[in-house]
Amino acid sequence: MGGGLLVAGTTSDAGKSVVTAGICRWLARKGVKVAPFKAQNMSLNSFVTREGAEIGRAQAMQAAAARVEPSALMNPVLLKPGSDRSSQVVLMGKPVGELSARGYHAGRQERLLGTVTDCLQELRRTHDAVICEGAGSPAEINLRRTDIVNMGIARAARIPVVVVGDIDRGGVFASFFGTTALLSREDQALVAGYLVNKFRGDVTLLEPGLEMLRGLSGRPTLGVLPFAHGLGIDEEDGLRVSLRGAVRESVVAPPHGADVLRVAVAAVPLMSNFTDVDALAAEPGVVVRFVDRPEELADADLVVLPGTRGTVRALQWLRERGIADAVRRRAAEGRPVLGICGGFQMLGERIEDEVESKAGTVDGLGLLPVRVRFAARKTLARPTGEALGEPVEGYEIHHGVAEVDGGEPFLEGCRSGAVWGTHWHGSLESDGFRRAFLRRVAADAGRAFVPAPDTSFAALREEQLDKLGDLIEEHADTDALLRLIEDGVPAGLPFVPPGAPPSPAPAAPAPPAHRTSLEGGTP
């Protein structure tokens, strides 16, 4: 079996995803055959693998960092929130039901331990190393009994754990110590060290605290990663996306032409795959912002209605905010609007939904000759095609089936005037098509904007992943990380009192016929 390591965090957004991707890229550059793994992910930002499985986009990006093809094995359980209390459960890439948080944690989650352990074992069998990512904090003692993504999977697979803390938030020493001290003796025996993330300033001023932490916990700090602008991978949690901070920071380049192009993205509820606009933000002279008021559309050259896990709810939100009327006025004036997936559905004439919202028949915005009916079976696909004379690739994740009755064909959707709609996520990552589309938008908006001829979104992404690899290689104790991955849990790690009550041993894997069964759950 190949080696393994679990990257846990003191909190959500401590940097687990970034550190996991960085370790994967560092190892891949060393010639190690490495794979990422996250047993359970909660995210509205998802991706479709070549075999048609839906997984978190963060794991797809980590696979890119590892230079391997993403697979459902890398994210066997994906939870897609439909509200603060319920989520669609995607198991091995396919949706199997909608469950409340209480219903999921009241026994069904435990039944998945055998499935996620099998996936991790298969990845370790076929790779030299597997870098696992935890979720939230491993010290969520209220959820420890049913945990399958933090210490639950670490104990089941007997792999060492490194805990990441975001020092930019403050309190990182207390977070490291408290996280360890709240774990049971059995779980603490797997916690091998800490990684400080987002440090600003002189690291020598931090070193006395790191030594004190080692004395108190008996565990070393395996690196101090500096704060760096413009680093990150595709974010996971669409519920908490900042209206104006979702697009990753990047080097500001001047416009290639005389004008900039302003893009306003409606920050609809349960926004999904908001990273569709990252490729626009990467273009020199394109300014992308997320908006939630109609007046913020006034100076926009392009308005984007993005994907959403709640199409009918998002449509109601657009109407309540006055954004729907603003979008209609734009269309009447011939000013560009683009709808992607749920946004495409909202632009149509009618939505029949007995699946997602169970709202029945709802009027759309009436800007495209499209009628949408929600099907119980989810469409998961990786289409390719051509638009505006350029090749395009994308991926589809939707329950809504669109019946197009008019307009000009556009990526299996349609265009009517300056209003465009498609179910294809990721289409703007196709460089030639993106440039052609922006030229059309600029012409319709009356802007002297010219797309740069050499922007390669794939190359920019590779640069990001290489920077993450550099971060690990230059600022982490890579020798210590290699020892953990190759040799496993160090012996003699001390217990830090008081500890949590002893947690149950990992459940015995269920028989294969029941191992992936979640059907029959009620919301």
Side-chain angles (χ1 to χ4, degrees):
M1 298 293 289
L5 180 71
L6 175 70
V7 179
T10 56
T11 61
S12 295
D13 295 329
K16 299 183 293 291
S17 297
V18 165
V19 168
T20 301
I23 294 175
C24 285
R25 176 48 59 99
W26 160 63
L27 288 173
R29 292 195 305 210
K30 288 176 64 67
V32 176
K33 187 179 182 183
V34 58
F37 176 77
K38 186 162 186 173
Q40 173 191 294
N41 193 354
M42 177 172 280
S43 178
L44 288 170
N45 203 15
S46 58
F47 182 75
V48 179
T49 67
R50 294 204 180 275
E51 66 267 26
E54 184 179 8
I55 65 172
R57 263 195 82 91
Q59 280 61 66
M61 288 298 296
Q62 289 163 353
R67 295 175 176 153
V68 295
E69 188 69 29
S71 129
L73 292 172
M74 298 171 184
N75 180 206
V77 182
L78 174 64
L79 305 178
K80 302 195 72 175
S83 70
D84 289 342
R85 291 175 177 262
S86 68
S87 295
Q88 182 182 67
V89 181
V90 179
L91 184 60
M92 295 303 295
K94 305 297 181 184
V96 295
E98 192 92 11
L99 287 176
S100 68
R102 181 177 294 276
Y104 182 63
H105 288 285
R108 287 178 171 84
Q109 186 180 29
E110 287 178 283
R111 289 157 57 183
L112 294 174
L113 182 61
T115 297
V116 300
T117 303
D118 285 352
C119 291
L120 176 56
Q121 184 176 8
E122 177 62 16
L123 288 174
R124 292 179 72 183
R125 187 184 68 80
T126 54
H127 293 78
D128 301 326
V130 179
I131 309 303
C132 309
E133 180 189 342
S137 162
E140 292 169 354
I141 54 179
N142 56 316
L143 302 177
R144 176 61 186 90
R145 184 181 64 83
T146 58
D147 170 45
I148 62 171
V149 65
N150 290 305
M151 303 312 299
I153 191 68
R155 279 182 65 183
R158 294 299 303 172
I159 55 175
V161 178
V162 173
V163 181
V164 179
D166 181 354
I167 198 170
D168 200 46
R169 296 182 174 190
V172 75
F173 293 120
S175 297
F176 282 143
F177 183 82
T179 295
T180 309
L182 275 177
L183 299 177
S184 68
R185 185 180 297 272
E186 297 87 349
D187 287 349
Q188 284 191 31
L190 302 177
V191 176
Y194 311 111
L195 269 172
V196 176
N197 192 29
K198 295 185 182 179
F199 179 71
R200 306 172 191 251
D202 186 348
V203 73
T204 61
L205 299 176
L206 191 66
E207 287 170 353
L210 301 180
E211 285 302 314
M212 291 177 65
L213 179 65
R214 181 164 192 160
L216 290 166
S217 70
R219 291 159 173 84
T221 297
L222 302 175
V224 177
L225 310 182
F227 187 96
H229 289 283
L231 290 185
I233 63 173
D234 293 354
E235 292 89 343
E236 292 187 349
D237 197 343
L239 285 176
R240 294 183 290 104
V241 62
S242 163
L243 295 184
R244 290 162 186 83
V247 175
R248 296 191 304 274
E249 297 173 351
S250 57
V251 176
V252 177
H256 193 70
D259 279 349
V260 298
L261 205 65
R262 296 174 177 85
V263 179
V265 185
V268 297
L270 299 176
M271 192 187 335
S272 62
N273 290 76
F274 50 86
T275 44
D276 281 335
V277 298
D278 275 5
L280 295 180
E283 282 285 349
V286 176
V287 179
V288 177
R289 54 188 177 170
F290 287 79
V291 304
D292 59 356
R293 295 178 296 180
E295 56 268 28
E296 294 178 297
L297 274 59
D299 66 344
D301 303 305
L302 171 66
V303 168
V304 178
L305 301 185
T308 172
R309 171 81 165 86
T311 301
V312 171
R313 176 178 168 183
L315 186 56
Q316 181 182 359
W317 182 88
L318 292 177
R319 287 177 167 135
E320 290 172 349
R321 295 267 174 158
I323 296 175
D325 289 337
V327 170
R328 283 198 189 96
R329 287 194 296 271
R330 288 184 61 88
E333 295 165 0
R335 302 172 66 196
V337 177
L338 171 65
I340 302 173
C341 200
F344 167 44
Q345 296 166 7
M346 289 185 274
L347 290 171
E349 299 169 351
R350 187 180 69 214
I351 298 170
E352 296 177 19
D353 181 12
E354 298 292 349
V355 175
E356 190 175 76
S357 68
K358 298 179 172 60
T361 301
V362 177
D363 288 336
L365 297 180
L367 299 179
L368 289 175
V370 174
R371 290 179 292 277
V372 176
R373 177 184 53 81
F374 274 65
R377 183 182 178 89
K378 181 186 280 191
T379 297
L380 297 169
R382 288 279 294 271
T384 60
E386 184 178 297
L388 304 180
E390 298 287 346
V392 188
E393 295 183 6
Y395 57 99
E396 296 183 66
I397 306 170
H398 54 91
H399 282 279
V401 178
E403 179 185 337
V404 179
D405 186 23
E408 179 182 325
F410 174 67
L411 299 179
E412 297 183 7
C414 68
R415 178 183 74 86
S416 178
V419 181
W420 311 68
T422 178
H423 273 133
W424 291 22
H425 294 290
S427 61
L428 294 167
E429 296 178 17
S430 298
D431 296 328
F433 164 71
R434 182 180 64 253
R435 287 192 278 268
F437 178 70
L438 290 177
R439 282 193 289 268
R440 292 289 294 269
V441 167
D444 288 344
R447 292 282 186 187
F449 169 84
V450 179
D454 55 355
T455 303
S456 167
F457 188 68
L460 290 172
R461 229 178 212 155
E462 275 296 298
E463 288 177 17
Q464 286 276 359
L465 296 174
D466 273 331
K467 288 177 183 178
L468 296 180
D470 294 343
L471 198 69
I472 297 299
E473 189 169 346
E474 296 170 8
H475 300 283
D477 186 342
T478 52
D479 289 339
L481 289 176
L482 274 177
R483 283 195 298 272
L484 290 176
I485 293 167
E486 293 177 351
D487 301 335
V489 182
L493 292 170
F495 173 68
V496 179
S503 56
H514 304 290
R515 200 172 273 185
T516 59
S517 176
L518 275 186
E519 292 84 344
T522 55

